[in-house]
Each structure stands twice: as C-alpha cells, then as structure tokens.
Amino acid sequence: MATSYLLPCYVVITVLVLFFSVDVTEGAIREYQFDVQMTNVTRLCSSKSIVTVNGQFPGPTVFAREGDFVVIRVVNHVPYNMSIHWHGIRQLRSGWADGPAYITQCPIQSGQSYVYKFTITGQRGTLWWHAHISWLRATVYGAIVILPKPGVPYPFPAPYKEVPVIFGEWWTADTEAVISQALQTGGGPNVSDAFTINGLPGPLYNCSAKDTFKLKVKPGKTYMLRIINAALNDELFFSIAGHPLTVVDVDAVYIKPITLETIIITPGQTTNVLLTTKPSYPGATYYMLAAPYSTARPGTFDNTTVAGILEYEDPTSPPPHAAFNKNLPALKPTLPQINDTSFVANYTAKLRSLATAEYPAAVPQEVDRRFFFTVGLGTHPCAVNGTCQGPTNSSRFAASVNNVSFVLPTTALLQSHFAGKSKGVYSSNFPAAPLVPFNYTGTPPNNTNVANGTKLVVLPYGASVELVMQGTSILGAESHPLHLHGFNFFVVGQGFGNFDTAKDPAKYNLVDPVERNTVGVPAAGWVAIRFRADNPGVWFMHCHLEVHVSWGLKMAWLVLDGDRPNEKLLPPPSDLPRC
C-alpha cells in the first residue's frame, strides 16, 4: 500500500524551470539557503564558538524526493574557507556540485557564496552533507532525507514515525587548532572529549544530563531511525536495550531486512533501522548506547560511550499532554568489546542487496580494469635536524594508498582537467598495484616511509572496475572506512589476511552483494568492490577517518567523457569559486 509523505513546509517548491543545462524532466525543485556562521554552543560545561549552518548544530536536514532537483545556496560568513559535500549523492554529470575542496572546486572563501545544484537520480533513503575541508565537518553536518517518488511505497511496512539519529564527536578545544598542531609536530592529534547523538553528549558525560537525546515513543508502534555516523575518527557500535533493530537500508540502498541487537556503522555510512516498541507500556526506560570499535593502540581514539534514552509515553497521563515518568528503572544494552573484529565481519557479511525486479543489483559480471590498492599508515622523515612526535622522534605519521600519500593541489583537479591544464597540477600515473609487494598483514617492512604525490587513475567512460583494497599492518592493523565519491559500488568479497588472487575471487558474491558508497577495509584484511565508471568527472576516494585523510590516505579517479551527449560532464557553473 502506498504511503503518503509530507515534506517540511520550509522547503521551497518552485515551478519547473531549467537551470543552466541541467535537465529537469520530473520531480520538484527544492531550494535551501545555507548561511555558514559562527555560533556559541555550550557542551560539557564549556562554551565555544563553532562553525554552523544557519546557527544549527547539527545543521538543517535537506528533504527531497527521488527525481527532485536540489538547489542549495551556501554563503560563507566565517573566517575559514568552506566547501560542502553531499555525501552519497551520485552527482551524475554534475561533479561541480560534489564539494570536496581542491578536488571538484576551489573552496568558498570568506564573504563569498556558491550555489550547489544537482538532481537526485535513482536514489532514495538516508544520506548526509558535511564540510569537506580540513576538520570543519566536526560541527558542519546534517542529514539528507530522500523519500521515494510520490505514490511509491517502501519495500517494508511503513513506519509510524521517522527520526534522524546522527552520531558526532565533540572537542572542547578548537578542532582546527587540534589538527594544525598535529600536522606541525608529526604526532597523533588529541582525541575528542565526547561522542554526541544529534549534537547532545548525554548523561554518561560530566555536566551533560540536561543535554540528552530522548526518543519519546508510544507502545505498539514502528519507528524508522535514520542513523548517520558523522564522527570524525571513530567507527561506532550502536544498540538499544530491549529493542532489536531491523536494518532495511544502508547508504540509501534497500537491503534484505536483517534483525540484530547491535549494529556497527563507520564514519560516512548511513543505516536505516526499524524499531518496534513494546506492545504495552513497559514501566521502564531504555538506554541507547554508541561506543567505538577500534583495533588501534589505546589512547589514540576516544574510548567513551554516548547515551540517549528511549522513553515510553505514560498511558495514565490525561490528554492532550503526554507524560513521561522520570522515576522508572533504566535498562542498558551490552555492546561488543571495543576490538571485536569478528562481530564487525559477521555483521557486514549479513548485508545483502534486495536484488528484486524493482530494485535490482546491477553487479558488473565482467571486469575491464582491475586494481589492487594497499591502504594503511606509514611515515615521513622529520625535517633536517628536526625532531617529531611520530612513531619515532625522527619520523612523522603519514598514510597512503599504494604507498602514495596524496597531496592536495592548490587549484581544483576537476577545473584543471576540464580546462586541459593538468600540467603541474596532477599526473595520471597512479599505480594500479603496489610497486614493491610485501607481506601486507605480516611483519612490517623496515622502511615505512611513503612517497608524496598528486596522482590520479584515468578510466574510460563505462569501464567495469574491480578494486581490491588491502589493509596493512604497518604501525598497527586498523580498519579503514573508504568512501568513493560519485558512485555506489558493490561489495563482492571480504576476508582477513592477504588477498589471494588464485582463491579469493571464487568466493565473490556476484548475485546480491550489498551496494554502498563507504565500506570498511577490515583490520588486517581486504575488501573487493566493483563499480561501473558511468559518471564523467574527477572523483575523490579516501578514508573517512579524518586523521588518516589529513595524513594522506586519499586519491582520485578521473572518468573521461563518453561518446554520447548524456555521457559528458556538463560545463562549470558561472559562480564556481576561484582559488
């Protein structure tokens, strides 16, 4: 049965018109104004001025439907350069609106503005937006809710209500100062002071009981939680006491429903879950907890727990005002151990695409181009006669893909490509495999130094790509959530140890693998993905742990234009920022 959805009244719906050469043949136009401004916020008994959108923390939710054309005018009123990424939006032929600074655009300078314009094509579910420059996404982020086309139901029972649940990370210090200091010393950055749910740290932190996210529910109802991990540097377990969660969607792609007590979600990922409340008033409240998953060394990540509270409406309270009893017992869930890698592997292995006639899994069955990328940490030497705070006093922390630590250019890669002026900006010789193979998950090599470079992989339009990403044990085996801009991909295989080209491909799932935009490369393991290069432009791929991005764990793909008019990148908009 089709469900009727209402969009918030503050979304402006205008008559259909053509903007530049963007084809708007269906759907509505949704317009938003994003004023980037400094706002005073108090958390953990400490106030500071943070960068926000429209003075909101988290920022405003962008609502749209599949097929809509979205227009978001971003005005930068803060002293920092700004750019905003619409995480997971395919951006078909509209790479100018993707948002990563110095990849698809120069940043929006203080006092300047830029209008992001894109069509939501073939997507519905939960995505999110965030700043994509330095560490400003610590406070500049919000949800993107994409509803189905009018009259199209969910492929599961329609929920009574839908609620965004956004995990974040809070520093009492200025995050721009935190990463600046780390890059100067070569050491690891100071870890955050708290995690947050919808911007609130909750009762397990000092001075924060009043700043607690409360999900108020009625008995016998089903709620859909649109869960987003916007934390900078931490994968998170999440569970609600006494209430199993049914996962129905990841990264805005429907999956075969699975019911679990606990989920794992990496930075960059989204997960829609159905929560069915008790059939009658339970006489208890229930904690929802999120805590980190990490195999890194203790002290290098925030090892705290954030709590929200699930509260039932008291049926004995007289209408019209629902009452919530504050004196009930509070039950807590049990989360996995902090380094429970087997739980993570078992969870991710359960995720499967719907693979129905209506929602097919278009997995490339044949492969045109194969790549093998190592992803992990490494080192740079200190400056001559300098000392550092890296793994040794003569080295600095670094990170790389195939031993190339990516250096951002000073002008945008997409602009350089479109103008035919790549010389001196980037080279197109990113290695398809490690130049010097080694035992990736075994004893690390003696030399852990990585090279610097601004190198891209060039793909012909329409090529079917297989990429195996291999984690390494250099400076410790860690999970790395890798995000690919401009595409969804199918996760066809994963495993532990070194990828075996003779045996592992035979175990691939080419029937109903999960489709995502962000995937965790297992600690001391590998993951294999496939995608079709059907989107011309320059597309960033990077670890979504911000500290690793700062150290260089990133690269980019250049997809060339195809032969047909609808296979070519559109020209840049007239207001594209300049460097």
Side-chain angles (χ1 to χ4, degrees):
M1 178 178 173
T3 306
S4 173
Y5 308 97
L6 293 177
L7 288 167
C9 59
Y10 54 79
V11 179
V12 179
I13 306 177
T14 67
V15 294
L16 292 182
V17 294
L18 281 180
F19 278 73
F20 295 103
S21 52
V22 177
D23 182 22
V24 184
T25 55
E26 60 175 328
I29 297 175
R30 314 273 175 203
E31 296 190 67
Y32 287 84
Q33 173 88 10
F34 274 26
D35 286 301
V36 181
Q37 60 195 67
M38 303 303 297
T39 303
N40 286 325
V41 173
T42 301
R43 295 289 185 272
L44 310 179
C45 274
S46 177
S47 297
K48 70 171 182 174
S49 186
I50 64 171
V51 184
T52 67
V53 168
N54 299 349
Q56 298 173 233
F57 172 66
T61 298
V62 172
F63 290 90
R65 289 188 184 276
E66 178 186 350
D68 284 352
F69 184 55
V70 181
V71 179
I72 304 176
R73 183 171 187 262
V74 177
V75 185
N76 185 8
H77 303 281
V78 303
Y80 304 102
N81 284 345
M82 177 56 60
S83 71
I84 293 182
H85 170 51
W86 317 96
H87 183 115
I89 297 287
R90 282 292 317 272
Q91 300 289 4
L92 290 167
R93 302 174 63 215
S94 59
W96 308 106
D98 191 43
Y102 302 106
I103 305 297
T104 58
Q105 68 168 90
C106 298
I108 307 167
Q109 296 178 31
S110 183
Q112 302 297 308
S113 66
Y114 179 46
V115 181
Y116 293 90
K117 300 173 182 177
F118 52 87
T119 301
I120 298 173
T121 305
Q123 294 182 282
R124 77 296 297 169
T126 304
L127 295 172
W128 65 298
W129 57 266
H130 60 82
H132 211 306
I133 182 167
S134 190
W135 277 27
L136 291 173
R137 77 172 180 86
T139 57
V140 180
Y141 61 85
I144 302 175
V145 172
I146 307 171
L147 299 174
K149 292 180 178 180
V152 177
Y154 293 137
F156 47 81
Y160 171 67
K161 277 188 179 175
E162 303 181 11
V163 182
V165 175
I166 311 179
F167 302 130
E169 213 166 345
W170 181 263
W171 274 259
T172 301
D174 173 12
T175 47
E176 290 304 281
V178 168
I179 184 56
S180 176
Q181 180 188 29
L183 294 178
Q184 286 173 11
T185 65
N190 291 337
V191 302
S192 56
D193 297 287
F195 296 111
T196 57
I197 301 177
N198 291 346
L200 302 171
L204 303 187
Y205 295 103
N206 286 340
C207 191
S208 299
K210 69 182 187 308
D211 295 323
T212 298
F213 170 67
K214 294 182 179 180
L215 177 59
K216 299 178 184 295
V217 299
K218 295 181 177 181
K221 302 289 187 184
T222 297
Y223 295 77
M224 183 159 77
L225 308 185
R226 295 179 175 269
I227 303 172
I228 299 165
N229 187 349
L232 258 66
N233 294 314
D234 291 274
E235 305 183 40
L236 294 167
F237 295 116
F238 176 68
S239 183
I240 303 177
H243 293 75
L245 304 173
T246 299
V247 183
V248 293
D249 178 306
V250 296
D251 290 0
V253 181
Y254 297 133
I255 66 165
K256 294 181 174 73
I258 54 172
T259 302
L260 312 120
E261 300 295 327
T262 303
I263 68 166
I264 176 77
I265 183 167
T266 79
Q269 290 182 340
T270 65
T271 304
N272 285 0
V273 302
L274 299 180
L275 161 76
T276 300
T277 57
K278 308 287 186 187
S280 59
Y281 183 64
T285 58
Y286 301 86
Y287 274 100
M288 56 181 78
L289 299 182
Y293 159 67
S294 179
T295 59
R297 297 187 304 279
T300 59
F301 58 92
D302 181 348
N303 187 11
T304 63
T305 301
V306 62
I309 295 176
L310 182 75
E311 283 188 337
Y312 277 78
E313 186 178 308
D314 188 343
T316 63
S317 63
H321 302 295
F324 297 88
N325 191 330
K326 308 298 182 190
N327 301 313
L328 298 173
L331 307 179
K332 287 186 178 181
T334 301
L335 294 175
Q337 293 296 308
I338 193 164
N339 60 351
D340 195 341
T341 296
S342 62
F343 175 93
V344 175
N346 290 335
Y347 173 85
T348 54
K350 288 185 175 84
L351 303 177
R352 292 277 193 272
S353 287
L354 272 185
T356 60
E358 191 171 4
Y359 302 105
V363 191
Q365 299 295 308
E366 305 295 328
V367 173
D368 301 315
R369 300 284 300 274
R370 283 187 163 84
F371 298 90
F372 182 84
F373 289 178
T374 58
V375 295
L377 303 185
T379 54
H380 284 314
C382 289
V384 178
N385 298 326
T387 59
C388 299
Q389 296 175 12
T392 68
N393 62 11
S394 61
S395 66
R396 319 165 54 84
F397 278 106
S400 70
V401 181
N402 273 357
N403 212 51
V404 178
S405 186
F406 191 87
V407 178
L408 283 177
T410 55
T411 188
L413 297 175
L414 186 60
Q415 288 169 270
S416 302
H417 160 64
F418 190 84
K421 297 177 180 178
S422 63
K423 188 175 182 181
V425 179
Y426 67 85
S427 62
S428 55
N429 61 345
F430 190 91
L435 299 179
V436 181
F438 60 97
N439 182 4
Y440 307 113
T441 57
T443 303
N446 291 328
N447 182 1
T448 59
N449 284 344
V450 299
N452 284 334
T454 308
K455 300 183 178 186
L456 280 61
V457 171
V458 178
L459 295 171
Y461 181 90
S464 294
V465 177
E466 178 177 304
L467 168 63
V468 175
M469 291 182 281
Q470 172 73 61
T472 76
S473 59
I474 295 173
L475 301 182
E478 293 186 46
S479 172
H480 297 279
L482 264 290
H483 171 49
L484 175 60
H485 291 227
F487 299 92
N488 282 351
F489 50 75
F490 292 95
V491 184
V492 297
Q494 64 177 30
F496 292 109
N498 296 339
F499 178 74
D500 188 328
T501 53
K503 297 178 180 178
D504 287 327
K507 305 171 194 170
Y508 284 175
N509 174 10
L510 301 179
V511 177
D512 63 349
V514 70
E515 184 181 348
R516 314 204 65 136
N517 63 60
T518 304
V519 66
V521 179
W526 57 270
V527 65
I529 66 172
R530 287 187 180 182
F531 66 95
R532 184 169 173 265
D534 58 358
N535 196 5
V538 176
W539 304 106
F540 209 19
M541 190 178 81
H542 59 90
C543 181
H544 224 282
L545 304 180
E546 215 59 40
V547 59
H548 293 170
V549 179
S550 300
W551 288 342
L553 211 166
K554 49 197 175 187
M555 55 80 65
W557 305 80
L558 168 54
V559 179
L560 300 174
D561 281 352
D563 295 329
R564 300 183 182 91
N566 65 350
E567 297 173 348
K568 298 182 188 301
L569 177 68
L570 294 168
S574 58
D575 65 337
L576 188 72
R578 288 169 167 73
C579 288

mmCIF file of all heavy atoms in Angstrom, residues 161-179:
data_model
loop_
_atom_site.group_PDB
_atom_site.id
_atom_site.type_symbol
_atom_site.label_atom_id
_atom_site.label_comp_id
_atom_site.label_asym_id
_atom_site.label_seq_id
_atom_site.Cartn_x
_atom_site.Cartn_y
_atom_site.Cartn_z
ATOM 1 N N LYS A 161 6.637 6.727 12.553
ATOM 2 C CA LYS A 161 7.399 7.969 12.509
ATOM 3 C C LYS A 161 8.821 7.671 12.066
ATOM 4 O O LYS A 161 9.319 6.553 12.212
ATOM 5 C CB LYS A 161 7.430 8.658 13.883
ATOM 6 C CG LYS A 161 6.208 9.497 14.190
ATOM 7 C CD LYS A 161 6.395 10.307 15.473
ATOM 8 C CE LYS A 161 5.166 11.165 15.757
ATOM 9 N NZ LYS A 161 5.280 11.870 17.048
ATOM 10 N N GLU A 162 9.503 8.716 11.539
ATOM 11 C CA GLU A 162 10.894 8.608 11.132
ATOM 12 C C GLU A 162 11.711 9.632 11.904
ATOM 13 O O GLU A 162 11.301 10.791 12.028
ATOM 14 C CB GLU A 162 11.034 8.857 9.624
ATOM 15 C CG GLU A 162 10.181 7.917 8.791
ATOM 16 C CD GLU A 162 10.339 8.133 7.296
ATOM 17 O OE1 GLU A 162 11.265 8.870 6.883
ATOM 18 O OE2 GLU A 162 9.537 7.564 6.563
ATOM 19 N N VAL A 163 12.864 9.193 12.420
ATOM 20 C CA VAL A 163 13.659 10.047 13.303
ATOM 21 C C VAL A 163 15.130 9.990 12.880
ATOM 22 O O VAL A 163 15.703 8.897 12.806
ATOM 23 C CB VAL A 163 13.541 9.589 14.773
ATOM 24 C CG1 VAL A 163 14.327 10.523 15.693
ATOM 25 C CG2 VAL A 163 12.079 9.494 15.202
ATOM 26 N N PRO A 164 15.767 11.138 12.606
ATOM 27 C CA PRO A 164 17.212 11.106 12.349
ATOM 28 C C PRO A 164 17.991 10.896 13.647
ATOM 29 O O PRO A 164 17.654 11.477 14.685
ATOM 30 C CB PRO A 164 17.495 12.490 11.753
ATOM 31 C CG PRO A 164 16.401 13.368 12.274
ATOM 32 C CD PRO A 164 15.199 12.498 12.481
ATOM 33 N N VAL A 165 19.005 10.062 13.594
ATOM 34 C CA VAL A 165 19.905 9.817 14.730
ATOM 35 C C VAL A 165 21.323 9.987 14.189
ATOM 36 O O VAL A 165 21.837 9.107 13.490
ATOM 37 C CB VAL A 165 19.701 8.416 15.333
ATOM 38 C CG1 VAL A 165 20.720 8.151 16.432
ATOM 39 C CG2 VAL A 165 18.280 8.267 15.874
ATOM 40 N N ILE A 166 21.940 11.128 14.505
ATOM 41 C CA ILE A 166 23.250 11.457 13.938
ATOM 42 C C ILE A 166 24.301 11.400 15.035
ATOM 43 O O ILE A 166 24.228 12.135 16.022
ATOM 44 C CB ILE A 166 23.250 12.862 13.299
ATOM 45 C CG1 ILE A 166 22.049 13.049 12.365
ATOM 46 C CG2 ILE A 166 24.553 13.094 12.553
ATOM 47 C CD1 ILE A 166 21.972 14.413 11.720
ATOM 48 N N PHE A 167 25.272 10.511 14.861
ATOM 49 C CA PHE A 167 26.392 10.435 15.801
ATOM 50 C C PHE A 167 27.449 11.467 15.408
ATOM 51 O O PHE A 167 27.787 11.603 14.231
ATOM 52 C CB PHE A 167 27.025 9.047 15.796
ATOM 53 C CG PHE A 167 26.067 7.942 16.133
ATOM 54 C CD1 PHE A 167 25.961 6.816 15.338
ATOM 55 C CD2 PHE A 167 25.253 8.032 17.254
ATOM 56 C CE1 PHE A 167 25.076 5.806 15.639
ATOM 57 C CE2 PHE A 167 24.362 7.025 17.569
ATOM 58 C CZ PHE A 167 24.271 5.913 16.761
ATOM 59 N N GLY A 168 27.951 12.167 16.400
ATOM 60 C CA GLY A 168 29.015 13.136 16.167
ATOM 61 C C GLY A 168 30.097 13.003 17.209
ATOM 62 O O GLY A 168 30.058 12.125 18.081
ATOM 63 N N GLU A 169 31.074 13.883 17.106
ATOM 64 C CA GLU A 169 32.227 13.844 18.009
ATOM 65 C C GLU A 169 32.500 15.271 18.460
ATOM 66 O O GLU A 169 32.512 16.188 17.636
ATOM 67 C CB GLU A 169 33.421 13.269 17.242
ATOM 68 C CG GLU A 169 34.368 12.470 18.077
ATOM 69 C CD GLU A 169 35.344 11.652 17.238
ATOM 70 O OE1 GLU A 169 35.124 11.473 16.021
ATOM 71 O OE2 GLU A 169 36.324 11.186 17.813
ATOM 72 N N TRP A 170 32.704 15.469 19.754
ATOM 73 C CA TRP A 170 32.835 16.815 20.303
ATOM 74 C C TRP A 170 34.199 17.015 20.934
ATOM 75 O O TRP A 170 34.648 16.186 21.740
ATOM 76 C CB TRP A 170 31.745 17.064 21.359
ATOM 77 C CG TRP A 170 31.818 18.440 21.941
ATOM 78 C CD1 TRP A 170 32.423 18.807 23.102
ATOM 79 C CD2 TRP A 170 31.300 19.654 21.372
ATOM 80 N NE1 TRP A 170 32.322 20.167 23.304
ATOM 81 C CE2 TRP A 170 31.631 20.713 22.250
ATOM 82 C CE3 TRP A 170 30.582 19.940 20.203
ATOM 83 C CZ2 TRP A 170 31.267 22.034 21.995
ATOM 84 C CZ3 TRP A 170 30.225 21.257 19.955
ATOM 85 C CH2 TRP A 170 30.561 22.284 20.848
ATOM 86 N N TRP A 171 34.846 18.094 20.559
ATOM 87 C CA TRP A 171 36.089 18.523 21.189
ATOM 88 C C TRP A 171 35.812 19.794 21.979
ATOM 89 O O TRP A 171 35.168 20.725 21.459
ATOM 90 C CB TRP A 171 37.152 18.861 20.150
ATOM 91 C CG TRP A 171 37.989 17.733 19.649
ATOM 92 C CD1 TRP A 171 39.263 17.407 20.022
ATOM 93 C CD2 TRP A 171 37.640 16.787 18.618
ATOM 94 N NE1 TRP A 171 39.718 16.329 19.307
ATOM 95 C CE2 TRP A 171 38.738 15.924 18.442
ATOM 96 C CE3 TRP A 171 36.490 16.580 17.851
ATOM 97 C CZ2 TRP A 171 38.736 14.882 17.524
ATOM 98 C CZ3 TRP A 171 36.480 15.547 16.943
ATOM 99 C CH2 TRP A 171 37.591 14.711 16.788
ATOM 100 N N THR A 172 36.314 19.868 23.207
ATOM 101 C CA THR A 172 36.263 21.129 23.940
ATOM 102 C C THR A 172 37.194 22.146 23.285
ATOM 103 O O THR A 172 36.911 23.342 23.257
ATOM 104 C CB THR A 172 36.653 20.906 25.418
ATOM 105 O OG1 THR A 172 35.735 19.952 25.972
ATOM 106 C CG2 THR A 172 36.577 22.192 26.208
ATOM 107 N N ALA A 173 38.297 21.651 22.725
ATOM 108 C CA ALA A 173 39.255 22.517 22.024
ATOM 109 C C ALA A 173 38.749 22.831 20.616
ATOM 110 O O ALA A 173 37.791 22.222 20.119
ATOM 111 C CB ALA A 173 40.616 21.838 21.959
ATOM 112 N N ASP A 174 39.392 23.768 19.959
ATOM 113 C CA ASP A 174 39.119 24.121 18.572
ATOM 114 C C ASP A 174 39.717 23.040 17.670
ATOM 115 O O ASP A 174 40.936 22.819 17.677
ATOM 116 C CB ASP A 174 39.731 25.493 18.273
ATOM 117 C CG ASP A 174 39.644 25.880 16.809
ATOM 118 O OD1 ASP A 174 38.916 25.207 16.050
ATOM 119 O OD2 ASP A 174 40.306 26.856 16.417
ATOM 120 N N THR A 175 38.885 22.353 16.895
ATOM 121 C CA THR A 175 39.393 21.235 16.086
ATOM 122 C C THR A 175 40.388 21.699 15.022
ATOM 123 O O THR A 175 41.281 20.934 14.639
ATOM 124 C CB THR A 175 38.227 20.487 15.410
ATOM 125 O OG1 THR A 175 37.340 21.426 14.799
ATOM 126 C CG2 THR A 175 37.470 19.654 16.415
ATOM 127 N N GLU A 176 40.247 22.917 14.525
ATOM 128 C CA GLU A 176 41.224 23.394 13.547
ATOM 129 C C GLU A 176 42.605 23.537 14.197
ATOM 130 O O GLU A 176 43.635 23.251 13.580
ATOM 131 C CB GLU A 176 40.768 24.722 12.950
ATOM 132 C CG GLU A 176 39.557 24.591 12.035
ATOM 133 C CD GLU A 176 39.784 23.600 10.917
ATOM 134 O OE1 GLU A 176 40.443 23.953 9.921
ATOM 135 O OE2 GLU A 176 39.303 22.452 11.021
ATOM 136 N N ALA A 177 42.633 23.936 15.470
ATOM 137 C CA ALA A 177 43.909 24.017 16.195
ATOM 138 C C ALA A 177 44.449 22.623 16.487
ATOM 139 O O ALA A 177 45.665 22.390 16.459
ATOM 140 C CB ALA A 177 43.723 24.794 17.497
ATOM 141 N N VAL A 178 43.542 21.669 16.754
ATOM 142 C CA VAL A 178 43.957 20.291 17.064
ATOM 143 C C VAL A 178 44.707 19.678 15.886
ATOM 144 O O VAL A 178 45.807 19.130 16.039
ATOM 145 C CB VAL A 178 42.729 19.426 17.436
ATOM 146 C CG1 VAL A 178 43.101 17.947 17.477
ATOM 147 C CG2 VAL A 178 42.160 19.853 18.787
ATOM 148 N N ILE A 179 44.128 19.761 14.683
ATOM 149 C CA ILE A 179 44.789 19.128 13.545
ATOM 150 C C ILE A 179 45.999 19.948 13.093
ATOM 151 O O ILE A 179 47.009 19.386 12.652
ATOM 152 C CB ILE A 179 43.797 18.885 12.380
ATOM 153 C CG1 ILE A 179 44.486 18.120 11.239
ATOM 154 C CG2 ILE A 179 43.173 20.159 11.895
ATOM 155 C CD1 ILE A 179 45.123 16.788 11.643
#
